[in-house]
Amino acid sequence: MPRHSPCAIANEFLRRRGSPTYPSQMYIQKLVAIANGWNLAINGEPLVSEAPQAWVNGPVFRQIWDFVKEGGFKGPNSEIVDPITGQIITSKISGNEEEILDHVWKKYRNYTPQQLSDLTHQANSPWAYAYFEKGRNAEIDTERTRQYYIKLALAGRSNAEQEQALQTAGRINAA
């Protein structure tokens, strides 16, 4: 069962970023979308309480868009605040979810906003299906997202196993 608002997950990345400078909304949107995909694949459930929409530049969580538009980035790490209460949006993250967020942050933190957008625009991606089959701003299907990230995980595991086999073969041939 999804537990967290998209803004709370965005704030997890903004805290990890640890900068008072304003981030690109595209950067934050894509990190949340990628984390949601990995959580679906690994933990079997959405990380966030709403599905992203297929906008021109990739997946967008409407809540993040609206809250940044209304309240902007505030707080010591430019966190997103609730435009009505002015409070930084937080949520209690489980250990498994924390691992996903850490993994996504370590792997993708140095990507540019455009590189993250490009990742979400791959052929056969959940964004591509929603955008081209259902239409601009359509909701991105959760199950399609889960299956897509499972395939990415399996492909990554297969590549790692092939690399390890090649390294082992190289050691055997060298001996």
Side-chain angles (χ1 to χ4, degrees):
M1 177 161 167
R3 301 182 205 179
H4 312 290
S5 80
C7 290
I9 298 303
N11 282 340
E12 289 293 321
F13 289 118
L14 290 166
R15 278 190 285 287
R16 282 169 173 79
R17 184 172 169 263
S19 172
T21 61
Y22 299 139
S24 158
Q25 190 167 160
M26 183 187 295
Y27 179 75
I28 296 304
Q29 291 277 3
K30 302 320 171 244
L31 286 174
V32 174
I34 291 167
N36 187 57
W38 283 116
N39 200 72
L40 280 162
I42 295 168
N43 294 326
E45 63 183 16
L47 185 61
V48 295
S49 57
E50 73 178 58
Q53 297 174 348
W55 287 22
V56 172
N57 289 319
V60 169
F61 292 93
R62 188 66 193 211
Q63 184 190 61
I64 295 172
W65 178 264
D66 289 342
F67 278 30
V68 169
K69 182 180 171 188
E70 294 298 318
F73 292 110
K74 300 196 173 151
N77 297 307
S78 297
E79 289 102 339
I80 299 170
V81 299
D82 183 309
I84 295 169
T85 67
Q87 297 295 308
I88 295 172
I89 301 163
T90 62
S91 189
K92 182 152 176 53
I93 307 296
S94 74
N96 289 340
E97 294 164 339
E98 191 75 38
E99 288 177 15
I100 297 292
L101 295 173
D102 287 342
H103 168 76
V104 169
W105 182 246
K106 287 175 188 168
K107 182 169 179 137
Y108 301 102
R109 71 178 171 213
N110 293 322
Y111 282 54
T112 67
Q114 188 59 55
Q115 288 170 322
L116 291 172
S117 182
D118 291 347
L119 283 176
T120 65
H121 281 72
Q122 298 294 312
N124 301 315
S125 71
W127 171 87
Y129 173 78
Y131 191 82
F132 294 114
E133 298 295 323
K134 294 170 31 179
R136 184 178 192 168
N137 301 342
E139 187 173 288
I140 297 174
D141 182 71
T142 299
E143 181 57 23
R144 189 173 293 273
T145 301
R146 187 178 79 79
Q147 291 299 324
Y148 181 79
Y149 278 87
I150 286 172
K151 286 179 186 173
L152 287 179
L154 292 173
R157 178 178 289 164
S158 176
N159 289 341
E161 289 170 354
Q162 289 175 2
E163 187 175 310
Q164 185 176 11
L166 289 171
Q167 289 174 355
T168 301
R171 284 191 294 260
I172 292 170
N173 290 338

